[in-house]
Structure formats: structure tokens, C-alpha cells
Amino acid sequence: MPEAGTPRTAVPTTVTPGATTSDTAAPWAASASPGLRAETAGATASAGDVYLEVQRSAAFQEVRGSYRRFVVPAVIAFFTWYLAYVVAATTVPEFMARPVAGAVNVAMLAGLGQFLTTFLLTWAYSRHARLRRDRAALELRWNTQELTRGIDR
């Protein structure tokens, strides 16, 4: 065990995309994903190099793609719905003031619809993340931590 104040030495690593972990020389990278490998070599890789390689990996691209395939259409739909509400409230106030039931008018229903849409979108996002992205993202996180373990930061 090193004495207090003595810097720890790191295992020099380089990240090679597309290699398997079965022929890796670094023991801490034994369970890394097939698209990423840390191997002991003469060159020293920084944690930044590892993260860049993870970012270029197919697994990371799939997680980001899944995120974008949900978020982009959802943001466009919600923003369009929000703008329609604001535009209708300013351009056709007589329509928005039309009574629906008692003191409840179209504007009040549309405003409540905004809140309902927000909650539904939040629920849909969390469900999508749990079913389609969380497991893959957690696996990427563990693999990245294993690859960066031992790198002198």
C-alpha cells in the first residue's frame, strides 16, 4: 500500500473500438462491451479518450437515437399544442370565451388540457426511458466506469 501523499500509478491504457474483451490485457476491462476495449500498451489514454470512444460506440449511438426518436416528436407536438393555445387565446378570444358548462369555457378547458398534456408527456417519457433506454444506459455506464478505472485523472 502506498504511503500517504505518494501518487498512485495508473495502468496505461488505450481504447480500441471494435475489439472484443476476451483478448484484453487489463483485468478491470474484462466485462467491457464488445465494441470497446482497454488494452495495456505503451501509450497512455486519458479518461477523455475513453469517453470519446464510448460516445462513438454503437451501443451509445443506439441509446441516443432512442432518446431522440422519442423527444424530438414529443417536443414538436407539445410546442405546437402550446402555440395553438396561445395563438387562439389572442386571435379568437370570442371562441375561447364560449361557455361549455356553466362558468367553464373553452379557454379553461384548453388550459387544463395543457396541464394534462404535461403530465401525460412526463408519464410517457418515463415509461419510454424505463422500457427502452435505462438498461442499455446503465450497462454503458458500468462499462465506461470499468474502462476508466485505473486511469490517472
Side-chain angles (χ1 to χ4, degrees):
M1 182 142 230
E3 294 179 26
T6 305
R8 293 184 343 179
T9 58
V11 176
T13 59
T14 15
V15 177
T16 307
T20 61
T21 58
S22 60
D23 52 9
T24 184
W28 44 266
S31 63
S33 68
L36 301 172
R37 180 179 88 174
E39 70 180 31
T40 306
T44 301
S46 68
D49 294 335
V50 171
Y51 284 105
L52 286 173
E53 288 302 322
V54 168
Q55 185 179 8
R56 291 182 193 115
S57 72
F60 182 83
Q61 296 304 320
E62 179 56 35
V63 169
R64 289 299 292 175
S66 176
Y67 171 79
R68 287 182 181 132
R69 283 188 298 274
F70 180 86
V71 169
V72 170
V75 166
I76 291 170
F78 185 79
F79 192 64
T80 302
W81 161 230
Y82 174 74
L83 282 179
Y85 174 73
V86 172
V87 168
T90 57
T91 59
V92 285
E94 61 280 352
F95 170 73
M96 297 297 272
R98 183 176 294 156
V100 175
V104 177
N105 59 20
V106 173
M108 292 174 91
L109 288 179
L112 290 173
Q114 291 285 318
F115 283 104
L116 179 63
T117 304
T118 301
F119 290 117
L120 286 174
L121 190 58
T122 302
W123 170 80
Y125 175 80
S126 65
R127 183 175 187 273
H128 178 268
R130 185 184 65 225
L131 295 177
R132 306 230 170 119
R133 289 192 328 267
D134 285 353
R135 183 170 290 144
L138 184 61
E139 195 172 302
L140 268 172
R141 178 181 174 193
W142 284 111
N143 291 339
T144 304
Q145 287 178 351
E146 287 177 4
L147 290 171
T148 58
R149 191 171 296 130
I151 292 178
D152 194 22
R153 294 183 186 105

